[in-house]
Structures are given as structure tokens and as C-alpha cells.
Amino acid sequence: MAVAKLFRSFPGVGSSDNARYGSVAVITANDANRRLEVLDDFEHAGIGWLWATDAEFRLIYISENAAEKLSRPIEELLAQPLNALFETDSGTSGDRSDRPLNFQLTARNKIVDQTVRFALNSKQDEGRHTWWSISGHPKFDKSGNFQGYRGSAKDITVEYERKLVDSRLAEFDSLTGLANRHRMDKKLESILSAYKSAKRSCTLIMLDLDRFKHVNDTLGHPAGDDLLCQVARRLERVVGARGEIGRLGGDEFQIILPDLDDRGKLGELANKIIQIVSQPYTIDDKRATIGTSVGIAISPYDGIDKLDLIHNADLALYAAKNGGRGQFRFYSADLKDEAEERRLLEEGLRDALANELLELHYQPVVRTEDNMVVTFEALMRWEHPERGTIGPDVFVPIAEESDLINQIGAWALNKACQDAMKWPKSVRVAVNVSAAQFAHSDLIYIVTHALETSGLEPNRLELELTESVFMGDGETIDDIFRALKELGVRLALDDFGTGYSSLSYLRSAPFDKIKVDRTFVDSCTQKDQNSAKIIAAIIGLSDALGMETTVEGVEAFDQLEVVKSKGARFIQGWIYSKALTQETVLHRLKCGDLSIEPDGPERHRPERRSVFRRIGVIHDDHRYDALMRNLSKTGALIDGLLGVPEGTGLVLDLGGGQLVVCTVTRAQDAMIAVEFETPLVSDGAGGLCTRHRVSPYILAAAAIPGAPHTKPQFMQVAAVSGHSVMDFQD
Ligand code: C2E
Ligand code: CA
Ligand code: CA
């Protein structure tokens, strides 16, 4: 039959001599018929099949059993090109050691145990695949003309799919379906080594969820699992096809973004991730909210090999968390010092608490109608023996990272209540309560204790909470709010407009007051009026909900006017007063009435960052040293160069590969003002950085010294003293 005919052309197949080895009848090479019987038996046994093609790789023979097994009539298979019937497996296993079948055939290579997939699986097969392992030899005639392939095949579907499942398990997180640490590591490693020679960039983002543990503990592990899956889906939505997302374990996620190093875009992406992860979740009809912090490191700038990059992204993540959660940070070289600095501060803070080096200062909240003080907000200060006064912006986040915040918070509540007892009854005291304190089970007890020991009436105590208290599981949060209301204390929503700003918080929680964040006041005098409109809208909203509004951070008369015209009835800001010591408060109270006249500059000037940083200024092929006096997104003030005409094009070297092209807009003595060609972007830590950096490879190449071709055109001088900077700005 068919096999017989075909394989007769194989050498040695042909005659039919019988042979005996003693009593055993063996089949000799010459016994073609019996050899064919064996082949037939082999085919029928289903252990394997035989196939053959012509010189155009069209199938001219295939075992009938094979066709049966493929559920295809043999006529559909015969005469088809082999590579149309079978595909090389490429994506699924990640193992691409097999060259494509097509390549092997056209190269007339020997095919050895190649795994291929039957390409004609139909719809009825419901996505099931048939996997074969095939082997084959090219066949040539005597004059060396290629005749086609002769080969064998066997079905390996069961074993192969098991292998696929195993390798999936080994590479993917079974809970979220995201890549696991192993896969992310492998991937990062291979990208970085490939990109090293191609000098391409790759960004690594580390994420860690804030308050996940709390949700897990209160709502239970299945709820925690559900939450992690929802986070994974949200991350996929934001990141899309731009990169690969992995879950490293627990509530730690990682994202690899090849070919993306624009820190403007990365900052936007990080903010989007933070926002989307911070939206409330529904888990079994319950509500939960978490946050996330994001650390970013970019290769090759922040690390060339895998371990460096991971370590630096981790450092950035750590800094982001310490910066007050819900933030992103880019890695920068000073983060290493920052970590050490924080450790020292944490130690110092423990001492400060024990040795009563913490103080509360009180900033008045004034009623605009009659300039009367209605509340004092308690703001904490740390009198450091060597460093002088340290602000809460620095030490509160450190306290929040450790258990210290609860002790410090309890101390502040007690102290503020006691101090307030010495003020007129018409004046309230406001105390900041951090989210970490809010979630602590002792909060109600601590507040009760502070009220009882001081004797302060509960409605004279106002607790200032930020939106981050809503992180965690909804029910526990509702319970805490209920208990606080039962105590009779007032509640204010602080920094409104900066955080998650979900209006549902306002509906669900019993606030007496909203405090409009200072950032809106900062920009309320801008021409576009956007911030002014937002202030008006927040005041309208809180009126409608029967709440009071305090507008924070009014410094100048032009701001006061805008804010008042938008309906602000309570204002807290330097235009009335900075925070005062209790001593000063008592002294003022003794001297006179409780009203304060506004006093401050006529017009608000946008904050300039005083930086005093050494930078390089490059012009032609000369590099000058200079001092950067201040820096904004669009320009800088530079000290130390004489004779630079207005309109000169310069390049500033801000360090770490940050080169900025700029033009001189003003020059006076050794001071020049420059405007940047492209604006800087936020570095996530309140500072600024360039979108792009010059890669260390190029920097290394450029460091090869060569003699300048021209004479320097400007004169480098020592930086002038501070006061002339002010003159220059006016
Ligand atoms: P906050 O609750 O938003 O407090 C208002 C901050 O704005 C204070 O900064 C205050 O000095 C500042 N400020 C007020 N008016 C103006 C103004 O017109 N212009 C400018 N530029 N700033 C103004 P401070 O005292 O450095 O406190 C920073 C943050 O630290 C506070 O922000 C609060 O979140 C936190 N904090 C302060 N004391 C405590 C405390 O006892 N416990 C906790 N948990 N956090 C505290
Ligand atoms: Ca506050
Ligand atoms: Ca505030």
C-alpha cells in the first residue's frame, strides 16, 4: 500500500529474502514486504507517524492515523505545503530556541524534534491546540537534486500543554495573572543587556500600596486578594501596551517601560497611576480605599545593570512614601543621603518627644466680616538643639512612618486642649490629625482623654483631617466618624482639592468645615482665573452642604480681595498672622481684643525657588562655573559671569546629565537671567528637573579632553552677595 510504494525508494528496501537467526525469524534489510508490515504496525499503533513532502515541501504522504487524529480527511492535508499545516510555536512558552519551520525547510536543514502546532484547528476545537513533535531529513537524488523531506511525527499535545501550564505558573502570579518577580527579573535583565549596546533607555517603576495591610486585616484575606486583582486591572488600563506589569509579592508591583525616559511623561503617568489606584473599590458590597506611592528609576541614567536599577527605584519608592504617600519620586543621587538623614531625624524625634523639645504654635483663623479670631490652628514645631526650628513638613512624615505619630499626636491633642483653656470661650482650637493616627484604634480614647483632663468643651476642639483618612475599609472609617461626632468635637476637611477629592467623601462624612488648600490661593490672582473659580466653587459647595469654609494661605492684599470676592468668610494666612507661640497669644489676648488687621504685600509674587546651586554654563566650547540663584520651570537666575550680552544662547549643565538650552533675557553685572527653550518638569519632590538627560555613554565620550578652539568670551567672577539678587529681581 501507500507506505510500501513510497518507502520502496529508500535505500535497501526492495527484495524479500527470508532470514533466520537460529530459531528466530528475523527481518533483514532486504525483506521489503515484512519491513513494510512493521512500518504499517508502527503507524497503526499511534506511537508515531510518517510523512513525506515533494521538493516544494508539499505533503505527498502522511499516515492515515495522523489524519484521523487531526480530525481531518486526509485529502485536505495532502498536497498542502507542510508549513501551512504546521506552525512553529513562538509566543506562549517564551522559549524561542526553535527556528521557524519555514526557515528550516528552505535551508533544507535536518529537523529534529521540532514542536509545531497544527494550524488548521477549527472553531469546534474551542481554542484547543494539537501539538506535534516532528523530525525529518531532506532527501537528495544521486545527482544531488533535492527531492523533498521524509520524516516522522508524534502527538505531544498532553505533555506540551502541561509544560506550558508549568511555565506559566513559573512566570506569572496566579492571583492577578500579572508577571511574577521571576519573569520581571528575567525580562529586565534581557532588556537592559540588549539596550546597553543599542544605547536605549528603559524605565523601572516600583509601586507599593498604602493602607493595603489595613484592608487585608479588617476585611479579610479574600477581600485583600480581590483588591489586588482590581489594582492589577487598573494598572493594566493605565499602562496598556507601553510596558509590562508584574506583582512581586504582597502589595508590591513593578512596571517595566522600555524606550521611555521623558520625565515629563513619566511624571504624568505616575500621577495617573496614583489617581486611578486611589479611587474607591467595591469588594463584596463593601467600600475600601487605598493609595499608592511610586518610585521611578531610568536606565542608563540611574543604573545600567538590573540590580542597580532595582535598588535605585526602591530608594525612590522609599523616598516617595516618606514624602507623605500618594506621591511619586524620581531617583536622584541625593536620595542615598536622604535615607541616612531620615534615620537620624527619627532618632532625634524620639529624644525630642521624651525631652519636651516639641512645641505647638498657633495660627489664627480670622472672620473676614470683622477681622475677629475665631480659631487657632495648632502647628507643631521642633526646637532642634543644633539645627534650630524644624518644621512639621519635615518631621511629621518621618513620625508617620514609625509608631511615633501616635505618641506625638496624643501629646499635641493634650497640649492644645490645655492651652485653649486659657483662651476666651469664643475661640476654638484646631488640631491636625494624621491619617495614620486616624486609623489607630486608640484615637477615640485619646481625644476623650484630652478633653477630660483639660476640661475643654468638645465643640471648642476641631480636628483637621485630610482626605487620606478615607483610605482603608469604609465601615471602620464610618464607625470612627460616628464615635467622634458622638463626642461632640468638630471636624474639618483639610487641604481640600489636593488629594483624592472624591465628592462622595463630603457626602458620607460629617464635616463641619472645609479648608481650601493653599495652592489655589497661590494662583488665584492669575489671569486665567481658574483657581479663583475653583475657590468660588468649593465655597459654594460647602455652603450648600451647610459647612463652613476656611481659605488657607492668603499672603497679599490682591489675594485677599479675590478670595473675599469669591465669598470667603474665614481666612487663615500670613496676611493676618503667622503661627504664634502660646506666650504671644496670651500676651495679645491680655492686651486687647481678638481682632487682627490684615497686613502684607500689595501683590502676591509667585514663589521663586532659591537654590544656590553650583552649575556649569556652556558657551561655544567653553565651560564656566556659576551659581544658580533661583529656578522656575521656565527660567533661572545665574550669578558669576560678566559680559554676557542679552540674547546669547547658552547651555546650562544642572548635573547628572541634565543639560538645558536657554537664552539670556537680562544681564546686569555678573547676574544673568535666562529663559529655557523647553520648560522643566516636576521631580515629584517639589523640585524641578529636565525631561531628558544626556546619557552617561555620551557624557563619558564627551569627557575626553580636547583643547578649546576659541578664546573664552565671558569673564568668570566670584558670585556677588545676596542682597543684590533682590535688587535684580525687582
Ligand atoms: P496644614 O495643616 O495645611 O497647615 C497650614 C500650613 O500652612 C502651616 O505650615 C502654616 O504655617 C502654613 N501657612 C499658613 N498660612 C500661610 C501663608 O499665608 N503662606 C504660606 N506660605 N504658608 C502658610 P506648617 O506649620 O509648616 O505645617 C505644615 C503641615 O504639617 C500642616 O499643614 C500639617 O499638615 C502638618 N502639621 C502641623 N502640625 C501638625 C500636628 O500637630 N500633627 C500633625 N499630624 N500634622 C501637623
Ligand atoms: Ca491643618
Ligand atoms: Ca491645610
Side-chain angles (χ1 to χ4, degrees), residues 639-667:
D639 195 355
L641 286 184
L642 275 177
V644 189
E646 281 173 26
T648 308
L650 300 172
V651 176
L652 307 185
D653 179 356
L654 305 184
Q658 304 188 93
L659 297 186
V660 188
V661 178
C662 62
T663 311
V664 176
T665 53
R666 289 182 64 194

PDB file of all heavy atoms in Angstrom, residues 639-667:
ATOM      1  N   ASP A 639      24.459  83.628  38.602  1.00  0.00           N
ATOM      2  CA  ASP A 639      25.392  84.593  39.144  1.00  0.00           C
ATOM      3  C   ASP A 639      26.825  84.146  38.827  1.00  0.00           C
ATOM      4  O   ASP A 639      27.136  82.967  38.963  1.00  0.00           O
ATOM      5  CB  ASP A 639      25.188  84.614  40.676  1.00  0.00           C
ATOM      6  CG  ASP A 639      25.835  85.825  41.306  1.00  0.00           C
ATOM      7  OD1 ASP A 639      26.511  86.576  40.567  1.00  0.00           O
ATOM      8  OD2 ASP A 639      25.655  86.011  42.517  1.00  0.00           O
ATOM      9  N   GLY A 640      27.671  85.096  38.405  1.00  0.00           N
ATOM     10  CA  GLY A 640      29.085  84.755  38.292  1.00  0.00           C
ATOM     11  C   GLY A 640      29.690  84.918  36.907  1.00  0.00           C
ATOM     12  O   GLY A 640      30.826  84.530  36.690  1.00  0.00           O
ATOM     13  N   LEU A 641      28.925  85.490  35.926  1.00  0.00           N
ATOM     14  CA  LEU A 641      29.505  85.679  34.594  1.00  0.00           C
ATOM     15  C   LEU A 641      29.383  87.141  34.170  1.00  0.00           C
ATOM     16  O   LEU A 641      28.291  87.706  34.192  1.00  0.00           O
ATOM     17  CB  LEU A 641      28.780  84.799  33.573  1.00  0.00           C
ATOM     18  CG  LEU A 641      29.074  83.303  33.611  1.00  0.00           C
ATOM     19  CD1 LEU A 641      28.348  82.602  32.471  1.00  0.00           C
ATOM     20  CD2 LEU A 641      30.575  83.045  33.512  1.00  0.00           C
ATOM     21  N   LEU A 642      30.490  87.709  33.766  1.00  0.00           N
ATOM     22  CA  LEU A 642      30.485  89.101  33.308  1.00  0.00           C
ATOM     23  C   LEU A 642      30.557  89.151  31.792  1.00  0.00           C
ATOM     24  O   LEU A 642      31.225  88.328  31.172  1.00  0.00           O
ATOM     25  CB  LEU A 642      31.696  89.838  33.880  1.00  0.00           C
ATOM     26  CG  LEU A 642      31.583  90.434  35.283  1.00  0.00           C
ATOM     27  CD1 LEU A 642      32.921  91.052  35.677  1.00  0.00           C
ATOM     28  CD2 LEU A 642      30.466  91.468  35.353  1.00  0.00           C
ATOM     29  N   GLY A 643      29.863  90.142  31.227  1.00  0.00           N
ATOM     30  CA  GLY A 643      29.984  90.404  29.801  1.00  0.00           C
ATOM     31  C   GLY A 643      29.170  89.492  28.906  1.00  0.00           C
ATOM     32  O   GLY A 643      29.540  89.241  27.764  1.00  0.00           O
ATOM     33  N   VAL A 644      28.060  88.988  29.426  1.00  0.00           N
ATOM     34  CA  VAL A 644      27.199  88.139  28.590  1.00  0.00           C
ATOM     35  C   VAL A 644      26.089  89.006  28.000  1.00  0.00           C
ATOM     36  O   VAL A 644      25.243  89.524  28.731  1.00  0.00           O
ATOM     37  CB  VAL A 644      26.555  87.010  29.421  1.00  0.00           C
ATOM     38  CG1 VAL A 644      25.850  86.024  28.510  1.00  0.00           C
ATOM     39  CG2 VAL A 644      27.598  86.316  30.280  1.00  0.00           C
ATOM     40  N   PRO A 645      26.072  89.204  26.689  1.00  0.00           N
ATOM     41  CA  PRO A 645      25.032  90.062  26.099  1.00  0.00           C
ATOM     42  C   PRO A 645      23.651  89.408  26.155  1.00  0.00           C
ATOM     43  O   PRO A 645      23.551  88.179  26.114  1.00  0.00           O
ATOM     44  CB  PRO A 645      25.474  90.212  24.641  1.00  0.00           C
ATOM     45  CG  PRO A 645      26.788  89.562  24.514  1.00  0.00           C
ATOM     46  CD  PRO A 645      26.987  88.663  25.684  1.00  0.00           C
ATOM     47  N   GLU A 646      22.611  90.231  26.241  1.00  0.00           N
ATOM     48  CA  GLU A 646      21.247  89.706  26.154  1.00  0.00           C
ATOM     49  C   GLU A 646      21.077  89.022  24.809  1.00  0.00           C
ATOM     50  O   GLU A 646      21.640  89.456  23.821  1.00  0.00           O
ATOM     51  CB  GLU A 646      20.234  90.849  26.301  1.00  0.00           C
ATOM     52  CG  GLU A 646      20.060  91.243  27.754  1.00  0.00           C
ATOM     53  CD  GLU A 646      19.195  92.488  27.941  1.00  0.00           C
ATOM     54  OE1 GLU A 646      18.348  92.756  27.073  1.00  0.00           O
ATOM     55  OE2 GLU A 646      19.396  93.176  28.963  1.00  0.00           O
ATOM     56  N   GLY A 647      20.309  87.950  24.806  1.00  0.00           N
ATOM     57  CA  GLY A 647      20.082  87.223  23.563  1.00  0.00           C
ATOM     58  C   GLY A 647      21.084  86.106  23.323  1.00  0.00           C
ATOM     59  O   GLY A 647      20.929  85.329  22.388  1.00  0.00           O
ATOM     60  N   THR A 648      22.121  86.003  24.157  1.00  0.00           N
ATOM     61  CA  THR A 648      23.111  84.936  23.976  1.00  0.00           C
ATOM     62  C   THR A 648      22.480  83.566  24.244  1.00  0.00           C
ATOM     63  O   THR A 648      21.725  83.407  25.195  1.00  0.00           O
ATOM     64  CB  THR A 648      24.282  85.113  24.969  1.00  0.00           C
ATOM     65  OG1 THR A 648      24.781  86.438  24.847  1.00  0.00           O
ATOM     66  CG2 THR A 648      25.398  84.109  24.687  1.00  0.00           C
ATOM     67  N   GLY A 649      22.804  82.625  23.410  1.00  0.00           N
ATOM     68  CA  GLY A 649      22.338  81.253  23.636  1.00  0.00           C
ATOM     69  C   GLY A 649      23.349  80.508  24.493  1.00  0.00           C
ATOM     70  O   GLY A 649      24.546  80.548  24.217  1.00  0.00           O
ATOM     71  N   LEU A 650      22.864  79.863  25.570  1.00  0.00           N
ATOM     72  CA  LEU A 650      23.756  79.134  26.465  1.00  0.00           C
ATOM     73  C   LEU A 650      23.203  77.735  26.708  1.00  0.00           C
ATOM     74  O   LEU A 650      22.034  77.466  26.432  1.00  0.00           O
ATOM     75  CB  LEU A 650      23.849  79.839  27.827  1.00  0.00           C
ATOM     76  CG  LEU A 650      24.360  81.274  27.904  1.00  0.00           C
ATOM     77  CD1 LEU A 650      24.177  81.795  29.318  1.00  0.00           C
ATOM     78  CD2 LEU A 650      25.811  81.340  27.478  1.00  0.00           C
ATOM     79  N   VAL A 651      24.059  76.879  27.227  1.00  0.00           N
ATOM     80  CA  VAL A 651      23.584  75.585  27.708  1.00  0.00           C
ATOM     81  C   VAL A 651      23.956  75.492  29.181  1.00  0.00           C
ATOM     82  O   VAL A 651      25.113  75.699  29.540  1.00  0.00           O
ATOM     83  CB  VAL A 651      24.230  74.421  26.929  1.00  0.00           C
ATOM     84  CG1 VAL A 651      23.781  73.087  27.522  1.00  0.00           C
ATOM     85  CG2 VAL A 651      23.866  74.490  25.456  1.00  0.00           C
ATOM     86  N   LEU A 652      22.972  75.232  30.028  1.00  0.00           N
ATOM     87  CA  LEU A 652      23.257  75.066  31.447  1.00  0.00           C
ATOM     88  C   LEU A 652      23.441  73.586  31.750  1.00  0.00           C
ATOM     89  O   LEU A 652      22.675  72.760  31.262  1.00  0.00           O
ATOM     90  CB  LEU A 652      22.119  75.601  32.316  1.00  0.00           C
ATOM     91  CG  LEU A 652      21.654  77.033  32.078  1.00  0.00           C
ATOM     92  CD1 LEU A 652      20.613  77.411  33.125  1.00  0.00           C
ATOM     93  CD2 LEU A 652      22.835  77.986  32.121  1.00  0.00           C
ATOM     94  N   ASP A 653      24.448  73.295  32.544  1.00  0.00           N
ATOM     95  CA  ASP A 653      24.634  71.915  32.978  1.00  0.00           C
ATOM     96  C   ASP A 653      24.215  71.829  34.445  1.00  0.00           C
ATOM     97  O   ASP A 653      24.907  72.278  35.338  1.00  0.00           O
ATOM     98  CB  ASP A 653      26.110  71.532  32.811  1.00  0.00           C
ATOM     99  CG  ASP A 653      26.380  70.107  33.269  1.00  0.00           C
ATOM    100  OD1 ASP A 653      25.437  69.463  33.781  1.00  0.00           O
ATOM    101  OD2 ASP A 653      27.523  69.645  33.118  1.00  0.00           O
ATOM    102  N   LEU A 654      23.018  71.256  34.653  1.00  0.00           N
ATOM    103  CA  LEU A 654      22.479  71.195  36.013  1.00  0.00           C
ATOM    104  C   LEU A 654      22.939  69.944  36.754  1.00  0.00           C
ATOM    105  O   LEU A 654      22.500  69.673  37.861  1.00  0.00           O
ATOM    106  CB  LEU A 654      20.948  71.236  35.989  1.00  0.00           C
ATOM    107  CG  LEU A 654      20.305  72.416  35.263  1.00  0.00           C
ATOM    108  CD1 LEU A 654      18.783  72.360  35.402  1.00  0.00           C
ATOM    109  CD2 LEU A 654      20.817  73.744  35.787  1.00  0.00           C
ATOM    110  N   GLY A 655      23.803  69.187  36.122  1.00  0.00           N
ATOM    111  CA  GLY A 655      24.329  67.988  36.782  1.00  0.00           C
ATOM    112  C   GLY A 655      23.535  66.745  36.428  1.00  0.00           C
ATOM    113  O   GLY A 655      22.367  66.828  36.033  1.00  0.00           O
ATOM    114  N   GLY A 656      24.168  65.596  36.551  1.00  0.00           N
ATOM    115  CA  GLY A 656      23.500  64.321  36.293  1.00  0.00           C
ATOM    116  C   GLY A 656      22.978  64.197  34.873  1.00  0.00           C
ATOM    117  O   GLY A 656      21.959  63.559  34.636  1.00  0.00           O
ATOM    118  N   GLY A 657      23.673  64.825  33.931  1.00  0.00           N
ATOM    119  CA  GLY A 657      23.246  64.701  32.537  1.00  0.00           C
ATOM    120  C   GLY A 657      22.101  65.629  32.159  1.00  0.00           C
ATOM    121  O   GLY A 657      21.526  65.512  31.092  1.00  0.00           O
ATOM    122  N   GLN A 658      21.774  66.568  33.052  1.00  0.00           N
ATOM    123  CA  GLN A 658      20.680  67.498  32.752  1.00  0.00           C
ATOM    124  C   GLN A 658      21.226  68.745  32.070  1.00  0.00           C
ATOM    125  O   GLN A 658      21.774  69.615  32.730  1.00  0.00           O
ATOM    126  CB  GLN A 658      19.968  67.921  34.028  1.00  0.00           C
ATOM    127  CG  GLN A 658      19.436  66.771  34.852  1.00  0.00           C
ATOM    128  CD  GLN A 658      18.577  67.290  35.985  1.00  0.00           C
ATOM    129  OE1 GLN A 658      17.370  67.399  35.866  1.00  0.00           O
ATOM    130  NE2 GLN A 658      19.224  67.653  37.072  1.00  0.00           N
ATOM    131  N   LEU A 659      21.082  68.807  30.770  1.00  0.00           N
ATOM    132  CA  LEU A 659      21.533  69.979  30.022  1.00  0.00           C
ATOM    133  C   LEU A 659      20.314  70.775  29.582  1.00  0.00           C
ATOM    134  O   LEU A 659      19.333  70.217  29.113  1.00  0.00           O
ATOM    135  CB  LEU A 659      22.348  69.543  28.800  1.00  0.00           C
ATOM    136  CG  LEU A 659      23.652  68.793  29.097  1.00  0.00           C
ATOM    137  CD1 LEU A 659      24.423  68.552  27.809  1.00  0.00           C
ATOM    138  CD2 LEU A 659      24.528  69.549  30.099  1.00  0.00           C
ATOM    139  N   VAL A 660      20.391  72.099  29.764  1.00  0.00           N
ATOM    140  CA  VAL A 660      19.250  72.943  29.430  1.00  0.00           C
ATOM    141  C   VAL A 660      19.678  74.024  28.452  1.00  0.00           C
ATOM    142  O   VAL A 660      20.580  74.815  28.742  1.00  0.00           O
ATOM    143  CB  VAL A 660      18.692  73.626  30.702  1.00  0.00           C
ATOM    144  CG1 VAL A 660      17.386  74.341  30.387  1.00  0.00           C
ATOM    145  CG2 VAL A 660      18.506  72.625  31.809  1.00  0.00           C
ATOM    146  N   VAL A 661      19.019  74.058  27.320  1.00  0.00           N
ATOM    147  CA  VAL A 661      19.301  75.100  26.336  1.00  0.00           C
ATOM    148  C   VAL A 661      18.512  76.347  26.726  1.00  0.00           C
ATOM    149  O   VAL A 661      17.322  76.257  27.039  1.00  0.00           O
ATOM    150  CB  VAL A 661      18.874  74.633  24.927  1.00  0.00           C
ATOM    151  CG1 VAL A 661      19.130  75.729  23.901  1.00  0.00           C
ATOM    152  CG2 VAL A 661      19.624  73.361  24.559  1.00  0.00           C
ATOM    153  N   CYS A 662      19.174  77.499  26.748  1.00  0.00           N
ATOM    154  CA  CYS A 662      18.465  78.706  27.181  1.00  0.00           C
ATOM    155  C   CYS A 662      19.013  79.955  26.498  1.00  0.00           C
ATOM    156  O   CYS A 662      20.049  79.921  25.838  1.00  0.00           O
ATOM    157  CB  CYS A 662      18.564  78.853  28.694  1.00  0.00           C
ATOM    158  SG  CYS A 662      20.252  79.031  29.274  1.00  0.00           S
ATOM    159  N   THR A 663      18.273  81.037  26.658  1.00  0.00           N
ATOM    160  CA  THR A 663      18.662  82.323  26.078  1.00  0.00           C
ATOM    161  C   THR A 663      18.715  83.365  27.197  1.00  0.00           C
ATOM    162  O   THR A 663      17.845  83.370  28.062  1.00  0.00           O
ATOM    163  CB  THR A 663      17.602  82.779  25.044  1.00  0.00           C
ATOM    164  OG1 THR A 663      17.346  81.676  24.178  1.00  0.00           O
ATOM    165  CG2 THR A 663      18.096  83.964  24.238  1.00  0.00           C
ATOM    166  N   VAL A 664      19.718  84.221  27.146  1.00  0.00           N
ATOM    167  CA  VAL A 664      19.832  85.268  28.166  1.00  0.00           C
ATOM    168  C   VAL A 664      18.796  86.351  27.878  1.00  0.00           C
ATOM    169  O   VAL A 664      18.724  86.887  26.776  1.00  0.00           O
ATOM    170  CB  VAL A 664      21.251  85.878  28.150  1.00  0.00           C
ATOM    171  CG1 VAL A 664      21.351  87.020  29.143  1.00  0.00           C
ATOM    172  CG2 VAL A 664      22.279  84.803  28.449  1.00  0.00           C
ATOM    173  N   THR A 665      17.944  86.643  28.885  1.00  0.00           N
ATOM    174  CA  THR A 665      16.925  87.672  28.687  1.00  0.00           C
ATOM    175  C   THR A 665      17.321  88.993  29.331  1.00  0.00           C
ATOM    176  O   THR A 665      16.887  90.051  28.909  1.00  0.00           O
ATOM    177  CB  THR A 665      15.568  87.223  29.261  1.00  0.00           C
ATOM    178  OG1 THR A 665      15.776  86.821  30.616  1.00  0.00           O
ATOM    179  CG2 THR A 665      14.997  86.064  28.471  1.00  0.00           C
ATOM    180  N   ARG A 666      18.107  88.921  30.405  1.00  0.00           N
ATOM    181  CA  ARG A 666      18.581  90.147  31.049  1.00  0.00           C
ATOM    182  C   ARG A 666      19.973  89.890  31.581  1.00  0.00           C
ATOM    183  O   ARG A 666      20.294  88.775  31.977  1.00  0.00           O
ATOM    184  CB  ARG A 666      17.682  90.532  32.222  1.00  0.00           C
ATOM    185  CG  ARG A 666      16.320  91.043  31.817  1.00  0.00           C
ATOM    186  CD  ARG A 666      15.535  91.434  33.056  1.00  0.00           C
ATOM    187  NE  ARG A 666      16.164  92.549  33.772  1.00  0.00           N
ATOM    188  CZ  ARG A 666      15.848  92.913  35.010  1.00  0.00           C
ATOM    189  NH1 ARG A 666      14.941  92.230  35.672  1.00  0.00           N
ATOM    190  NH2 ARG A 666      16.440  93.934  35.584  1.00  0.00           N
ATOM    191  N   ALA A 667      20.790  90.945  31.625  1.00  0.00           N
ATOM    192  CA  ALA A 667      22.119  90.794  32.207  1.00  0.00           C
ATOM    193  C   ALA A 667      22.482  92.085  32.910  1.00  0.00           C
ATOM    194  O   ALA A 667      22.239  93.175  32.392  1.00  0.00           O
ATOM    195  CB  ALA A 667      23.144  90.489  31.116  1.00  0.00           C
TER     196      ALA A 667
END
